Amino acid sequence: MSGSTGNRYDKEYEAFQLFEQIQDEKEEALLPAEHAVAPEEVVLNEDIYCEIEYDSTPVRGENADVQLQASHLIPERMEERPKDEIRELFNRMRDIAREDRYLNFGSRRFFDRKMQRENAGIFYRQGMMMKDFEDEYEKKVPYSSYFSDYQMMGYDQLRTYFTWRTQIRQGNITHLSLSYAFVYLYELLNNIGVDDPREGLERLMLFWDAYRVYDESVDRYVVKWLKDYHIYYSLEQSFPDFVKENGLAAYYPNLSDSDDQFALFYSVSKYDIKNSVFYNDDNKDLIQRCFCAVLEHLREAFSEKGKSFDDLVFCPVRKMAVWTPFQDALFYPSRRQADRKVVLSQREIYVCSGNQWTFSAVITAESGKRLVGYVMKEMEVLLRKLTKYRHKLSANRSLLSDVMADELEKAGIFPEKLVADAVTAFYREETRTVVRVNPGRLEQIRQEALVIQEKLIVPEEAAPTPVVQEASLPEPDRCEVSDSWAELRENLTDIELEALAMALTGEGEIKNLADEHGIMVEVLIDGINEKAMDYTGDSILDDDAAVYDDYAEQVKEMVGLR
C-alpha cells in the first residue's frame, strides 16, 4: 500500500506534536495582552475565527517527509467569511470521528490493529453519510497516506476525491493518486454506495480492470479481497466458478486442484467413478455436468430438511485459526453473518459461528466419503440406463454407513430418490429437442393443406358405403423372447453357464472358478454380457457378478434351476 514504512509512525507522531505547538502559538498570538501572564484565566475572543486544516501535503523544512500541513491560520471574523455548504458538510462528516472517540495523535500506536478497527468503524459511518454526495471541482490535489481515509484529507483533497468518484460512477475511470484509489476500494468492500454485494462486485471488477493499467500495485490487494468478498458476502456463484469465468486461475494456484465441484467431491469419494468403463472420453463431460446438477438438487433438498449436505461430507480440523476478512483494508463488519461453512478446496474451509470467522484445512469423515461414493455410483447407474449403455450397473445402499443411513432416514431424506429425480431432470433437459418454427413457412403449409383437403373431399351422395370385414390380427410371437434366451444358452460355454449358476445361487466364488480355468474374472463376466447383448439386447451381470433382477427368471430357466 502507498506510504512510507518503518519509522513512519514516529515521524507522524512528531508531526502531530508540531501541529499542536503551532496551534498553541497561534492561539496565544490572538489573546489580549493583559491575559498573557495568567493563562488559566484566558478566554478567547468570540469575534475571532481561526480555522486550522491539515492534509497530507509534505511540510517544507526540517520535517519535509512528514505528511502534514497547517494552513488557513489567518484570523478573520466569522461573519466576514462567505458560507461554504460543502465545507460545512465536510465538517459534519468529521464530527462523526469526534463523537466516536478522541483522536489521540500523541499515541505512538496510532496505526495498531485496535486503532485500525476503530478507524474502520469511523470510515464506514462517514462513508455511508457521503455515499450519495457528488462534486464538481476543478482542482486536482494529490494525496498520500497509509490506510487512506476521509479524516486525513484536507478540504481540497476531499473535493478532489469526490469529484473523481463522481466521474467513476459515470463510467469515466481516470488516473489519480493511489491513496485515492484505495479509499474507493475500501468503499466498495464495505458496500458503500451500492445496492447489494452483487453490484459491489461488478464495480470492483470494473475499477480494478481499468485502474491497474495506471498502477499494477493494486493487484496484490484486490486479488486477496476478491476471495474474501465471495466468502463474506456469500454470493450465489461459487468462488471457483467466478475465477474460471473471469480467467483468474493464475492468481489462485491453490484452487487448481479443485476448479469445479466435481473435482472437489471426486477427491473424497469412496467410489472411484473415473475408473469405471462408463467414464470415457465420450461420457466424462456429461458425467461431470450431471453431478453438478445432482449436487445442487441435494443441497436444496437437504437444506429443506434442516440438514447441510456439505456439512455431512466436510469437517474442519479441531484447531482453527481466527480469520479476518479484508486484511490490509479499512473494513467494518456491519453485516450480521449467518452460521455457515465455505469450502473452497481441500486446503481451505471457512467457518462462521456466532458471527465469528475461523479458518482451517478440510478433513473428510469416513461416513462423508461413503455418502459421496453412493451418490456418484447411483448417478452412474441411472445415466447408464438413460443412455442405453450396453453394460448395466447397480448401487448397493450398503455403501452408506449405518449411522449416516439412520440419520438421513430420521430426517426424511432418501438419497436414491433425490438422485433419481435430479438425473432424470438433467438428462431430459440435456436431450430436449428445440423446434424453431418459421411463422411465414407455417402459414404456407396451412394454405397448401387446405388445397389438398378440398381435392380429397368426396360429395356425400356419391360416397361409397365402406364394407368392414372383421379380420383376426395375428397374436404376438411369444416365442421370440424364449428363442433368444435359448440361442444364448447354446452359445454359452460350460464355464459361463456354471458362472451364471453361481451368480444365482451364491454357491461358490466366480473368481475361484475363473482362476481354476486360467482366465480373469472380468474377462469371464464381459464375455457373458457380450453374448447376452448379441442375443437379448442387454447385459445380465453387473460389475459385482450379480444377475440383474429383471433377468433372474430367464437366467434360472436357461441354466436349468427351475
Side-chain angles (χ1 to χ4, degrees):
M1 197 170 295
S2 60
S4 305
T5 56
N7 62 353
R8 170 68 180 272
Y9 302 146
D10 292 334
K11 291 179 179 179
E12 288 176 335
Y13 169 65
E14 294 171 2
F16 285 113
Q17 284 187 323
L18 173 62
F19 170 75
E20 291 175 353
Q21 180 181 349
I22 293 173
Q23 184 178 11
D24 293 339
E25 291 175 355
K26 291 299 178 181
E27 289 179 352
E28 290 177 5
L30 298 175
L31 295 177
E34 60 270 20
H35 290 279
V37 182
E40 66 274 27
E41 299 177 0
V42 171
V43 178
L44 287 176
N45 189 336
E46 294 182 355
D47 292 335
I48 300 298
Y49 174 79
C50 174
E51 177 186 352
I52 298 177
E53 182 177 295
Y54 62 88
D55 58 25
S56 59
T57 305
V59 176
R60 298 182 182 277
E62 182 180 354
N63 296 293
D65 60 339
V66 178
Q67 305 297 310
L68 178 68
Q69 179 186 26
S71 61
H72 303 292
L73 297 176
I74 302 175
E76 56 187 49
R77 296 183 181 277
M78 293 182 66
E79 62 271 12
E80 295 176 358
R81 185 182 182 89
K83 186 175 182 181
D84 186 340
E85 294 182 356
I86 293 179
R87 186 183 296 273
E88 291 179 359
L89 176 63
F90 291 164
N91 287 339
R92 291 197 300 273
M93 180 192 71
R94 294 185 191 280
D95 285 342
I96 292 175
R98 301 187 187 99
E99 295 168 0
D100 190 87
R101 64 176 172 82
Y102 174 67
L103 294 175
N104 184 11
F105 294 130
S107 171
R108 289 182 179 270
R109 297 175 58 81
F110 183 67
F111 286 112
D112 66 10
R113 287 294 179 187
K114 181 179 179 182
M115 191 66 70
Q116 182 186 339
R117 288 194 297 269
E118 292 182 6
N119 287 344
I122 293 170
F123 176 82
Y124 178 78
R125 291 170 59 194
Q126 290 178 331
M128 293 303 291
M129 173 183 171
M130 304 296 292
K131 65 184 179 69
D132 297 323
F133 177 68
E134 295 182 352
D135 202 355
E136 189 176 357
Y137 196 53
E138 296 180 356
K139 295 181 182 180
K140 285 188 177 180
V141 180
Y143 171 52
S144 177
S145 176
Y146 193 87
F147 279 116
S148 320
D149 61 10
Y150 314 113
Q151 196 69 17
M152 297 299 290
M153 293 187 201
Y155 174 80
D156 290 332
Q157 291 168 328
L158 285 169
R159 296 210 60 179
T160 299
Y161 171 72
F162 286 116
T163 298
W164 181 63
R165 189 184 73 174
T166 301
Q167 291 295 313
I168 290 175
R169 291 180 175 180
Q170 294 173 358
N172 181 24
I173 302 175
T174 58
H175 181 243
L176 205 60
S177 302
L178 185 60
S179 291
Y180 286 125
F182 277 108
V183 172
Y184 183 67
L185 287 170
Y186 297 161
E187 287 185 354
L188 294 180
L189 298 183
N190 284 278
N191 274 198
I192 295 172
V194 299
D195 292 335
D196 52 48
R198 180 192 55 79
E199 181 187 350
L201 180 62
E202 290 178 359
R203 292 196 183 185
L204 182 60
M205 290 296 292
L206 286 172
F207 180 75
W208 179 37
D209 186 57
Y211 191 83
R212 67 186 306 272
V213 175
Y214 308 118
D215 195 330
E216 291 186 354
S217 63
V218 297
D219 288 1
R220 67 190 185 100
Y221 295 98
V222 176
V223 166
K224 294 188 300 182
W225 294 339
L226 283 174
K227 182 165 68 173
D228 292 6
Y229 198 97
H230 279 77
I231 297 169
Y232 182 81
Y233 287 109
S234 190
L235 299 177
E236 292 182 4
Q237 185 183 34
S238 70
F239 184 64
D241 288 344
F242 168 80
V243 169
K244 186 176 182 179
E245 180 180 301
N246 290 275
L248 302 175
Y251 292 107
Y252 306 97
N254 290 337
L255 290 178
S256 60
D257 63 342
S258 180
D259 57 353
D260 55 49
Q261 295 293 288
F262 176 81
L264 175 61
F265 282 86
Y266 168 74
S267 66
V268 301
S269 172
K270 201 70 174 175
Y271 173 62
D272 188 357
I273 194 172
K274 288 187 178 181
N275 198 37
S276 166
V277 293
F278 185 63
Y279 191 89
N280 52 40
D281 292 339
D282 295 332
N283 295 327
K284 64 181 180 181
D285 181 64
L286 176 72
I287 292 172
Q288 291 181 12
R289 288 186 289 107
C290 182
F291 177 77
C292 291
V294 170
L295 180 62
E296 182 179 357
H297 184 67
L298 288 175
R299 282 171 169 165
E300 292 177 357
F302 275 55
S303 179
E304 290 175 358
K305 298 294 185 178
K307 295 285 185 180
S308 169
F309 181 80
D310 289 45
D311 286 355
L312 293 174
V313 176
F314 300 107
C315 305
V317 296
R318 292 182 179 179
K319 187 176 181 180
M320 302 189 70
V322 174
W323 179 70
T324 303
F326 307 110
Q327 289 277 8
D328 303 319
L330 281 178
F331 176 75
Y332 177 68
S334 60
R335 288 176 169 238
R336 176 75 186 181
Q337 297 286 290
D339 291 354
R340 64 183 184 277
K341 292 180 184 177
V342 181
V343 180
L344 294 187
S345 71
Q346 282 189 283
R347 298 186 180 95
E348 290 183 87
I349 179 172
Y350 298 84
V351 179
C352 184
S353 177
N355 207 36
Q356 298 295 320
W357 283 95
T358 50
F359 162 82
S360 175
V362 175
I363 61 174
T364 311
E366 178 67 18
S367 60
K369 294 178 180 180
R370 294 175 67 173
L371 173 61
V372 176
Y374 175 75
V375 168
M376 283 195 167
K377 193 166 186 180
E378 185 70 30
M379 175 194 72
E380 184 183 349
V381 168
L382 295 165
L383 275 180
R384 285 192 181 201
K385 285 185 178 179
L386 292 170
T387 58
K388 294 180 172 55
Y389 189 66
R390 63 192 184 95
H391 296 309
K392 287 188 176 183
L393 181 69
S394 63
N396 196 323
R397 204 166 187 270
S398 62
L399 278 173
L400 293 174
S401 69
D402 293 338
V403 175
M404 179 67 73
D406 290 342
E407 184 177 354
L408 295 180
E409 188 173 347
K410 288 178 181 178
I413 298 173
F414 304 98
E416 59 274 12
K417 183 180 185 307
L418 294 176
V419 174
D421 291 344
V423 173
T424 303
F426 167 80
Y427 194 75
R428 185 190 304 118
E429 185 65 22
E430 189 75 12
T431 56
R432 181 168 60 92
T433 302
V434 179
V435 179
R436 291 182 174 85
V437 179
N438 185 328
R441 177 61 181 157
L442 184 61
E443 181 59 30
Q444 181 182 349
I445 293 173
R446 286 198 187 102
Q447 296 299 327
E448 292 174 354
L450 288 174
V451 173
I452 294 173
Q453 183 179 358
E454 290 176 358
K455 292 180 179 180
L456 292 176
I457 293 176
V458 179
E460 190 171 328
E461 61 275 11
T465 303
V467 177
V468 180
Q469 295 182 349
E470 293 185 2
S472 58
L473 297 176
E475 289 292 327
D477 188 354
R478 302 184 182 276
C479 298
E480 288 183 8
V481 176
S482 58
D483 287 348
S484 63
W485 287 96
E487 291 178 5
L488 172 60
R489 188 187 189 289
E490 292 177 2
N491 285 275
L492 290 173
T493 65
D494 292 340
I495 299 173
E496 290 170 338
L497 288 170
E498 187 176 352
L500 286 173
M502 285 183 176
L504 286 169
T505 62
E507 297 177 358
E509 289 287 340
I510 295 179
K511 186 178 184 307
N512 294 336
L513 176 67
D515 291 341
E516 289 175 5
H517 292 82
I519 59 177
M520 295 178 63
V521 66
E522 291 84 0
V523 174
L524 177 59
I525 294 173
D526 286 345
I528 295 173
N529 280 332
E530 286 177 5
K531 291 179 181 179
M533 286 291 296
D534 292 339
Y535 293 98
T536 68
D538 205 351
S539 302
I540 57 178
L541 291 177
D542 63 20
D543 288 351
D544 297 324
V547 177
Y548 289 117
D549 293 340
D550 295 345
Y551 305 123
E553 294 301 320
Q554 291 90 332
V555 174
K556 285 181 180 179
E557 182 177 353
M558 186 173 61
V559 299
L561 293 178
R562 293 188 62 179

